[in-house]
Amino acid sequence: MRENKLGTWPIPKLLVNMSVPMMISFFIQALYNIVDSMFVAQISENALTAVSLAFPMQQVANAIAVGIGVGMSALVPHYIGLKKEKRANEVAHTGIFLNLCFAGLFIVLGALFAQKIYLVQTNVPEIVQGGTIYLRIVWCVGIGVFFCQYFEKMLVCTGNPLLAMISQASGALFNIVFDPLLIFGIGPFPKWGIAGAAIATVGGQLFSTCIGFLMNHHKNHWIHFQWSLIRFQPDVAKEIFRVGIPSMVTIGLNSATSFCVNMIILSYSTTATAVYGIWLKLQNFCCMPLFGLNNGMIPILSYNLAQDKKDRVKQTSQLAFRFALVLMVCVMIILEAFPQPFLQMYNASNHMLDIGIVALRICVASLPFTSISLIRSTAMQALEHARYTLIVNILRQFLIIVPAFYLLSTLFHQLQYIWWAVPITEVICAYISIYYYRKMEKDLQL
């Protein structure tokens, strides 16, 4: 049996080795999301609003992709730790089948419902037309969003984080390069505007998928691709969804939340909606190191729990928690001091600056508490307590934040007060996640 570093390397060295490449990868990916909006903002403020309204819909597909990937990335090292390599391969291949099914579903959704989704939110012709084009492309040609993350997580969970970083970063770099070329028609490329942004997005996802597949095929010594194994296995699919559903709920409810909050904010102005879209991308950008840390932490926790090495489990979880909290406090301090330069990257008008500076300073105060919820929830998910993670995610992503926005809007009727819904939600959910984590520690006798 090959030695697996997940159970033998010192935890600080292992966590750095598993997480840092993923942090870099996610950082580049998040940088793309910000750069993409920056380029779209050069078209018009309505174009930026159209892409902002599409973001929650994009996250629906992303939620499913991440959930399947997280389920697979927790189960594969678990079965490797139990020396059941055949079962680990069955998990990996069943995940491929599930991704294919969902990719087909979103082709149908994009073709039939993209325009209807926009008409529910606004009647501004430029926003509806541009947003429909953008969303239809990213959903109908979105098979890459499912597989680029899946193959990346397959590399991470089998101890190849550097290759995963290369796979993920390659797609993001593709996006960054082709965004301005296709939006503005630079050189021999056509000027496609907002459609160019969507094409660059799906192109980057497909490019990353190809790189990830080739790296798994040639460099992954634990997973061996076989066409005959790509089929629906109910018991395996049930396991994947059992572990992955909390991640799906986290991102999926975030999409529902964004949709509901956008409807509240649109009653003030479309500019306020654009500001909220910028905050979502900024929040996503700031949390990317945490997502990288979580991706590195999950296989370590899962493998060592299967090996009954509880000291390594506890050490990994505590080290990740401390790092995440310190990092987010530092990020919060920087953004509190300098919100205006970030907004100006989006070609912000004076009206947008007036709204955005207040909004960002309030919202970024939530980041340290966000880190607590994310790290503790992910640890519970990896340690076979996904039900606790699910409770925290439902509260954090929908049941607290949407009513908070609604109540603050109803009580004060002033835009500057409703942004407090973000830090209020994160503080409450941080304490709830700590409560459930301690409850899990007692269950596992950590």
Side-chain angles (χ1 to χ4, degrees), residues 83 101 122 150 158 252 259 317 333 369:
K83 308 197 184 332
C101 292
T122 181
Y150 191 77
T158 51
F259 182 87
S317 180
I333 292 171
F369 301 98

mmCIF file of all heavy atoms in Angstrom, residues 83 101 122 150 158 252 259 317 333 369:
data_model
loop_
_atom_site.group_PDB
_atom_site.id
_atom_site.type_symbol
_atom_site.label_atom_id
_atom_site.label_comp_id
_atom_site.label_asym_id
_atom_site.label_seq_id
_atom_site.Cartn_x
_atom_site.Cartn_y
_atom_site.Cartn_z
ATOM 1 N N LYS A 83 -8.554 1.828 3.068
ATOM 2 C CA LYS A 83 -7.941 0.895 2.116
ATOM 3 C C LYS A 83 -8.990 0.248 1.195
ATOM 4 O O LYS A 83 -8.910 -0.929 0.869
ATOM 5 C CB LYS A 83 -7.122 -0.163 2.850
ATOM 6 C CG LYS A 83 -6.106 0.433 3.835
ATOM 7 C CD LYS A 83 -5.055 -0.549 4.222
ATOM 8 C CE LYS A 83 -4.088 -0.016 5.271
ATOM 9 N NZ LYS A 83 -3.860 1.414 5.302
ATOM 10 N N CYS A 101 -25.485 14.989 -15.776
ATOM 11 C CA CYS A 101 -26.946 15.146 -15.699
ATOM 12 C C CYS A 101 -27.334 16.597 -15.407
ATOM 13 O O CYS A 101 -28.229 17.158 -16.053
ATOM 14 C CB CYS A 101 -27.516 14.229 -14.619
ATOM 15 S SG CYS A 101 -27.401 12.461 -15.008
ATOM 16 N N THR A 122 -36.804 43.393 -13.167
ATOM 17 C CA THR A 122 -36.747 44.770 -13.656
ATOM 18 C C THR A 122 -37.395 44.877 -15.033
ATOM 19 O O THR A 122 -37.528 43.873 -15.743
ATOM 20 C CB THR A 122 -35.283 45.255 -13.731
ATOM 21 O OG1 THR A 122 -35.246 46.611 -14.188
ATOM 22 C CG2 THR A 122 -34.475 44.399 -14.694
ATOM 23 N N TYR A 150 -14.745 19.935 -10.299
ATOM 24 C CA TYR A 150 -14.739 18.529 -9.909
ATOM 25 C C TYR A 150 -13.353 17.915 -10.080
ATOM 26 O O TYR A 150 -12.836 17.258 -9.168
ATOM 27 C CB TYR A 150 -15.761 17.762 -10.748
ATOM 28 C CG TYR A 150 -16.022 16.361 -10.243
ATOM 29 C CD1 TYR A 150 -16.824 16.152 -9.124
ATOM 30 C CD2 TYR A 150 -15.470 15.256 -10.866
ATOM 31 C CE1 TYR A 150 -17.071 14.876 -8.641
ATOM 32 C CE2 TYR A 150 -15.711 13.967 -10.405
ATOM 33 C CZ TYR A 150 -16.513 13.791 -9.288
ATOM 34 O OH TYR A 150 -16.750 12.533 -8.812
ATOM 35 N N THR A 158 -6.680 13.732 -3.431
ATOM 36 C CA THR A 158 -5.741 12.620 -3.569
ATOM 37 C C THR A 158 -4.298 13.093 -3.401
ATOM 38 O O THR A 158 -3.356 12.401 -3.789
ATOM 39 C CB THR A 158 -5.914 11.925 -4.930
ATOM 40 O OG1 THR A 158 -5.872 12.907 -5.981
ATOM 41 C CG2 THR A 158 -7.240 11.180 -4.990
ATOM 42 N N GLY A 252 -26.427 27.732 -2.870
ATOM 43 C CA GLY A 252 -27.756 27.837 -3.460
ATOM 44 C C GLY A 252 -28.637 28.834 -2.728
ATOM 45 O O GLY A 252 -29.313 29.658 -3.350
ATOM 46 N N PHE A 259 -31.165 37.141 -4.784
ATOM 47 C CA PHE A 259 -32.356 37.476 -5.561
ATOM 48 C C PHE A 259 -33.336 38.288 -4.705
ATOM 49 O O PHE A 259 -33.830 39.342 -5.130
ATOM 50 C CB PHE A 259 -33.024 36.196 -6.069
ATOM 51 C CG PHE A 259 -34.230 36.435 -6.928
ATOM 52 C CD1 PHE A 259 -34.096 36.639 -8.289
ATOM 53 C CD2 PHE A 259 -35.509 36.451 -6.376
ATOM 54 C CE1 PHE A 259 -35.214 36.859 -9.087
ATOM 55 C CE2 PHE A 259 -36.628 36.659 -7.163
ATOM 56 C CZ PHE A 259 -36.477 36.867 -8.529
ATOM 57 N N SER A 317 -8.044 21.231 12.602
ATOM 58 C CA SER A 317 -9.181 22.130 12.723
ATOM 59 C C SER A 317 -8.815 23.415 13.461
ATOM 60 O O SER A 317 -9.179 24.516 13.042
ATOM 61 C CB SER A 317 -10.324 21.414 13.447
ATOM 62 O OG SER A 317 -11.439 22.254 13.571
ATOM 63 N N ILE A 333 -9.560 45.365 8.354
ATOM 64 C CA ILE A 333 -8.911 46.636 8.682
ATOM 65 C C ILE A 333 -8.525 47.393 7.413
ATOM 66 O O ILE A 333 -8.748 48.604 7.283
ATOM 67 C CB ILE A 333 -7.679 46.394 9.570
ATOM 68 C CG1 ILE A 333 -8.125 45.884 10.947
ATOM 69 C CG2 ILE A 333 -6.861 47.673 9.715
ATOM 70 C CD1 ILE A 333 -6.977 45.399 11.821
ATOM 71 N N PHE A 369 -16.315 37.360 11.450
ATOM 72 C CA PHE A 369 -17.369 36.426 11.876
ATOM 73 C C PHE A 369 -17.693 35.425 10.763
ATOM 74 O O PHE A 369 -18.004 34.267 11.037
ATOM 75 C CB PHE A 369 -18.608 37.219 12.290
ATOM 76 C CG PHE A 369 -18.345 38.180 13.404
ATOM 77 C CD1 PHE A 369 -18.112 39.527 13.143
ATOM 78 C CD2 PHE A 369 -18.298 37.748 14.722
ATOM 79 C CE1 PHE A 369 -17.843 40.423 14.171
ATOM 80 C CE2 PHE A 369 -18.042 38.631 15.765
ATOM 81 C CZ PHE A 369 -17.799 39.975 15.482
#
